[in-house]
């Protein structure tokens, strides 16, 4: 069975600082990996995804993530945090095409002025 | 592309009542998913349609829950005899391919 863990339910960074949100997964087969962002009272918006190919994936709003198979990780980073980045971030995995997503519990990012 | 829409956005009901939610996917998306999200948690998969066929159902989907997608376009999720534990955000997503899912804004249900 697949599962996703996100270390740190709440992360606080200062504006302009590096953002690092951690995601580890367990999967019996090479997974498809996703990061979604959720703003208050809104649905989920896709930030980036890894399916095949290059392991460093760039997404919207300056975010990127690197798939590390040996570490079963897909951590999300952004070099410089902006106040507008404050939101809930979810890592998700799907095992195969057409399969449902398994989401992590989420990490709430706060950006301090 | 108007995005995935869900109605209503908010629903308050009394325990024991039936409720129905609607999801309109992005046009031409043949896959449609329902998820449930409780406070402080990630979304949990409920069910999945490819066109009008319901291909997968989670064990979370008890017999009080039923979902339909009669013409392969919009979908409805009905909860019968609601319980307080059903209070959650119900999210709908659609996808044109086997990968990326596009989510709607959700319907927030409160059962009193």
């Amino acid at each position: 069975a697949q599962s996703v863990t996100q270390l740190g339910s709440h992360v606080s960074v200062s504006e302009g600082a590096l953002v690092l949100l951690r995601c580890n997964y367990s999967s019996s087969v090479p997974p498809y990996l996703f990061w979604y962002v959720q703003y208050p009272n809104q649905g989920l918006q896709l930030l980036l995804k890894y399916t095949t190919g290059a392991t460093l994936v760039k997404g919207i709003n300056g975010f990127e993530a690197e798939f590390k198979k040996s570490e079963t990780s897909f951590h999300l980073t952004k070099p410089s945090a902006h106040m507008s980045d404050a939101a809930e971030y979810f890592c998700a995995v799907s095992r195969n095409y057409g399969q449902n997503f398994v989401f992590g519990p989420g990490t709430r990012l706060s950006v301090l002025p | 592309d108007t995005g995935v829409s869900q109605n209503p956005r908010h629903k308050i009901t009394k325990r024991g009542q039936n409720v129905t939610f609607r999801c309109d996917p992005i046009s031409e998306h043949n896959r449609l998913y329902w998820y449930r999200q409780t406070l402080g948690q990630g979304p949990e998969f409920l069910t999945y349609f490819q066109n009008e066929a319901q291909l997968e159902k989670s064990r979370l989907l008890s017999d009080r829950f039923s979902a339909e997608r009669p013409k392969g376009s919009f979908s409805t999720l009905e909860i019968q005899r609601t319980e307080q534990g059903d209070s959650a955000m119900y999210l709908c997503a659609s996808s044109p391919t086997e990968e990326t899912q596009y989510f709607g804004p959700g319907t927030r249900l409160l059962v009193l």
Side-chain angles (χ1 to χ4, degrees):
Chain A
Q2 298 169 282
S3 68
V4 178
T5 57
Q6 293 183 239
L7 187 62
S9 60
H10 187 199
V11 171
S12 293
V13 300
S14 298
E15 190 173 20
L18 172 71
V19 176
L20 171 61
L21 304 182
R22 300 178 185 276
C23 172
N24 289 87
Y25 67 90
S26 67
S27 177
S28 58
V29 298
Y32 299 94
L33 295 158
F34 305 81
W35 275 100
Y36 282 84
V37 61
Q38 186 176 34
Y39 297 99
N41 299 314
Q42 295 187 26
L44 280 72
Q45 179 183 6
L46 179 69
L47 276 178
L48 49 78
K49 63 182 179 182
Y50 168 80
T51 54
T52 59
T55 57
L56 181 62
V57 180
K58 295 186 183 298
I60 62 171
N61 302 336
F63 284 95
E64 63 183 35
E66 185 172 11
F67 170 56
K68 292 187 176 181
K69 184 178 178 181
S70 62
E71 298 178 6
T72 61
S73 68
F74 191 57
H75 301 330
L76 181 71
T77 61
K78 182 175 180 178
S80 177
H82 192 271
M83 297 295 289
S84 61
D85 295 327
E88 189 90 19
Y89 291 81
F90 293 96
C91 182
V93 59
S94 70
R95 186 180 63 186
N96 207 340
Y97 284 140
Q99 296 280 326
N100 56 285
F101 283 10
V102 174
F103 282 89
T107 297
R108 179 168 299 280
L109 176 66
S110 297
V111 182
L112 308 174
Chain B
D1 180 1
T2 58
V4 178
S5 62
Q6 292 187 245
N7 288 288
R9 293 291 309 276
H10 303 274
K11 179 70 177 179
I12 300 174
T13 191
K14 293 182 179 180
R15 188 177 54 186
Q17 298 294 305
N18 299 344
V19 294
T20 300
F21 309 140
R22 176 177 170 129
C23 171
D24 287 89
I26 295 172
S27 180
E28 305 303 322
H29 283 195
N30 63 352
R31 296 168 187 264
L32 187 148
Y33 305 77
W34 284 99
Y35 292 83
R36 181 175 70 185
Q37 184 180 21
T38 52
L39 202 61
Q41 300 296 319
E44 297 172 293
F45 170 75
L46 292 178
T47 189
Y48 152 60
F49 291 85
Q50 182 167 326
N51 299 314
E52 65 275 11
Q54 188 173 19
L55 297 186
E56 192 171 347
K57 292 170 61 174
S58 163
R59 285 174 293 179
L60 291 174
L61 211 66
S62 75
D63 56 8
R64 295 186 298 106
F65 288 69
S66 63
E68 295 182 341
R69 194 182 183 197
K71 297 183 180 180
S73 56
F74 73 92
S75 175
T76 58
L77 177 67
E78 181 182 17
I79 308 174
Q80 296 182 326
R81 305 181 303 281
T82 53
E83 302 173 355
Q84 288 183 323
D86 297 331
S87 296
M89 174 80 87
Y90 290 85
L91 295 166
C92 175
S94 69
S95 71
T97 67
E98 297 89 348
E99 310 169 357
T100 306
Q101 296 180 21
Y102 297 85
F103 283 80
T107 294
R108 185 171 294 282
L109 172 66
L110 178 60
V111 182
L112 301 176

